[in-house]
Amino acid sequence: MKKSMSNQNKSLIVRAPAKINLHLEVLGLRNDGYHELAMIMQSISLSDYIEMYPNIEGSITLQTNIDNLTIGEDNLIIKAAKMLKEISGDKSLGVKINLIKNIPIGAGLAGGSTDAAAILIGLNSLWGLNYKLEYLENISSRIGSDIPFCIQGGRQLCFGRGEVLEKVESFNSNLGVILVKDPTVQVSTPWAYNKYKELFESDYLTEEYAFERKRNLVRTSNWIKHNLNEPFSLINDLQKVVLPVTPSVQNALDIFSNIPDCVAYAMSGSGPSCFGLFRDLNMANATLNKCKDTFTQSGLTAWSCSMQSEGITTIDQ
Ligand code: C5P
């Protein structure tokens, strides 16, 4: 059925936050070749902004403020826009997209996935499609495992290949975050999972009941309620394969381990970005001021951020 474009004279700006992994465990291998995961994902304030100008000539175009990003068919933004247009069945739907990129690329922060989520939310509104969020989450998993989380964001448990979501109450959501990354280093996510498989496949769980037992451990994990006066450990299985071949990850984690006010630290996703958690944003800001030179001397760019309770948000123009 064709839908009419109710908002064709309007344009939108959409804010797309990055995520960090508070927990990432690789449980086993699935029949579809992906890995079965148990994760806790958390949106943070570091965000891309995406402007969308709809048209009824059917053209979908993308421009961006950075050079080293492909803007063709393999960009998740284009894939998301084309998928939504195809599902709508309306060939006249088009959009001019301007991406203001702040989230580093190839960093384990779901930068591409959150942009795709933003496109689905923005165009659903601009093109007058009015699909439910749950439907958008569902279709988004066709083009990337992290996109369903990015749509509603906040803090969620992510199972399956990342697309099976469970909302959790966000204890300690006022924690401050320092995020660091060597701007010259990127990690390929398929490489990280393939390497993990090569090294650890013999330890993989194979039965659904064993996966479920692991999921239950994450569901009842108390790290979020942990007494934040004491440092505590975070788990990211992919760190085991990325860290040995990525000196900037080792440097970042060494620096965080020597900061007394840092209550927990880990690599995010498939890296190489790493983060440290602090009592609140003020503490993260003060620590960043104090440690800026240390990060810079190690070649790391650093940001201080807050945790966000929502995913994609639209800003009407
Ligand atoms: O789903 P997405 O396209 O983001 O995944 C990128 C790659 O990461 C996949 O092609 C696969 O190699 C790996 N991956 C995986 N298991 C997952 C998610 C991703 O092996 N659950």
Side-chain angles (χ1 to χ4, degrees):
M1 189 181 68
K2 279 199 168 189
K3 314 253 179 176
S4 65
M5 188 163 66
S6 61
N7 290 323
Q8 63 176 277
N9 296 319
K10 281 187 87 181
S11 58
L12 267 187
I13 302 184
V14 179
R15 176 167 176 264
K19 63 84 184 157
I20 52 175
N21 291 83
L22 299 175
H23 185 92
L24 191 166
E25 242 179 311
V26 179
L27 304 185
L29 205 56
R30 298 155 52 92
N31 292 336
D32 60 10
Y34 281 76
H35 285 86
E36 183 72 28
L37 303 176
M39 303 190 284
I40 306 174
M41 304 241 257
Q42 170 71 56
S43 302
I44 56 171
S45 54
L46 179 67
S47 297
D48 289 344
Y49 290 85
I50 305 183
E51 298 167 343
M52 298 173 212
Y53 304 90
N55 65 63
I56 49 169
E57 284 87 51
S59 63
I60 294 175
T61 55
L62 170 63
Q63 60 182 40
T64 176
N65 61 327
I66 55 165
D67 296 333
N68 57 341
L69 186 69
T70 55
I71 52 172
E73 298 291 317
D74 56 341
N75 189 298
L76 278 177
I77 286 182
I78 299 289
K79 283 188 186 173
K82 291 202 162 167
M83 177 178 70
L84 197 64
K85 175 174 168 172
E86 194 170 317
I87 288 171
S88 79
D90 187 344
K91 290 192 166 56
S92 74
L93 294 177
V95 64
K96 189 174 108 187
I97 301 162
N98 184 29
L99 167 66
I100 300 140
K101 190 108 199 105
N102 300 312
I103 304 170
I105 299 167
L109 299 170
S113 298
T114 195
D115 294 344
I119 289 297
L120 295 177
I121 296 286
L123 294 183
N124 189 44
S125 162
L126 279 177
W127 285 349
L129 301 172
N130 299 320
Y131 295 128
K132 292 205 164 82
L133 285 182
E134 290 69 25
Y135 178 71
L136 295 179
E137 284 176 352
N138 192 280
I139 58 167
S140 73
S141 69
R142 292 181 203 166
I143 53 171
S145 307
D146 286 347
I147 307 176
F149 163 79
C150 293
I151 288 180
Q152 297 198 63
R155 184 180 299 166
Q156 299 187 56
L157 308 183
C158 308
F159 299 128
R161 60 184 172 87
E163 88 291 16
V164 179
L165 306 177
E166 291 179 21
K167 281 242 151 63
V168 278
E169 207 178 323
S170 289
F171 296 97
N172 298 320
S173 52
N174 292 334
L175 288 174
V177 182
I178 294 183
L179 186 69
V180 298
K181 180 182 178 287
D182 180 333
T184 65
V185 179
Q186 295 188 9
V187 172
S188 145
T189 303
W191 175 85
Y193 279 104
N194 280 334
K195 190 74 194 169
Y196 193 88
K197 186 172 150 210
E198 196 184 302
L199 295 180
F200 299 109
E201 191 172 5
S202 56
D203 301 334
Y204 282 5
L205 302 174
T206 51
E207 305 290 338
E208 172 53 30
Y209 79 85
F211 293 158
E212 187 58 15
R213 205 162 49 199
K214 283 283 190 182
R215 290 181 201 119
N216 280 332
L217 287 174
V218 177
R219 287 182 185 112
T220 55
S221 66
N222 67 355
W223 80 266
I224 9 191
K225 300 176 203 168
H226 200 280
N227 174 2
L228 294 180
N229 294 322
E230 295 290 328
F232 60 102
S233 304
L234 300 177
I235 290 172
N236 179 346
D237 279 342
L238 295 179
Q239 203 173 292
K240 294 184 214 162
V241 295
V242 176
L243 187 144
V245 294
T246 319
S248 72
V249 170
Q250 184 71 67
N251 287 341
L253 298 179
D254 285 347
I255 295 172
F256 283 128
S257 73
N258 283 311
I259 299 176
D261 293 320
C262 180
V263 289
Y265 55 88
M267 189 180 82
S268 181
S270 53
S273 68
C274 294
F275 64 89
L277 301 180
F278 296 82
R279 196 183 58 218
D280 54 30
L281 181 59
N282 285 341
M283 181 69 87
N285 283 334
T287 306
L288 184 54
N289 273 338
K290 249 188 285 173
C291 300
K292 194 137 209 159
D293 288 349
T294 314
F295 288 126
T296 308
Q297 279 154 18
S298 291
L300 298 165
T301 306
W303 300 258
S304 63
C305 326
S306 53
M307 293 184 169
Q308 301 284 289
S309 58
E310 71 278 307
I312 306 303
T313 48
T314 55
I315 305 164
D316 271 312
Q317 262 188 314

